[in-house]
Amino acid sequence: MAVLRITKEDLKQKLDATDEALRPVLVDVRLRYPFEHSTLKLPGAIRWAPGEPQPPTLPRDRELALYDSDPDEITSVTVAAGLARSGYRVCVLKGGLPEWAAANFPTDTKDAVRSVPPPAPAPKV
């Protein structure tokens, strides 16, 4: 199923609309590792980890804009196609979060998994 892609500029313009009903709902569908190890997300985005059996409550009366961390939008397109088959109006952010962040568009911060340093080597005897 073909999925509509939206440029970062067009999405930003829609998000800046004064009428909330015209603003898309952002859905973060990054895979687990990229999500957990990132400190960024789009403002107000709803998290839905691919593979979760039940999606979060998503509005059917507004467009959903999905994004991931892959510049080819592989995960977003897969999830968006499933939502479209279920009757949702969806689009996918072209270039994902990397393109959005590179344009210095607004982001929110979130906690990320901190790497644990490797253990110190054992003393030589």
Side-chain angles (χ1 to χ4, degrees), residues 1-6 14 24-25 27 48 58-59 62-66 76-93:
M1 168 180 273
V3 174
L4 176 68
R5 286 179 167 81
I6 187 169
K14 284 185 171 192
V25 173
V27 184
W48 182 21
L58 300 172
R62 289 176 54 196
E63 180 180 33
L64 305 177
L66 282 63
S76 295
V77 168
T78 302
V79 175
L83 287 170
R85 282 191 295 275
S86 297
Y88 289 92
R89 291 183 302 133
V90 295
C91 64
V92 168
L93 175 60

Side-chain angles (χ1 to χ4, degrees), residues 4-5 11 15 26 40-41 43-44 60 62 80 85-86 105-106 110:
L4 176 68
R5 286 179 167 81
L11 179 57
L15 292 172
L26 299 170
L40 297 178
K41 69 175 198 155
R60 290 190 175 269
R62 289 176 54 196
R85 282 191 295 275
S86 297
F105 286 161
K110 65 172 208 55

Side-chain angles (χ1 to χ4, degrees), residues 6-17:
I6 187 169
T7 65
K8 59 189 175 290
E9 295 85 5
D10 288 343
L11 179 57
K12 172 93 168 57
Q13 185 176 10
K14 284 185 171 192
L15 292 172
D16 289 343

Side-chain angles (χ1 to χ4, degrees), residues 8 28 47 67 112 122:
K8 59 189 175 290
D28 183 332
R47 172 72 176 141
Y67 71 93

Side-chain angles (χ1 to χ4, degrees), residues 89-108:
R89 291 183 302 133
V90 295
C91 64
V92 168
L93 175 60
K94 287 174 74 173
L97 181 59
E99 286 284 325
W100 182 271
N104 289 319
F105 286 161
T107 57
D108 283 347

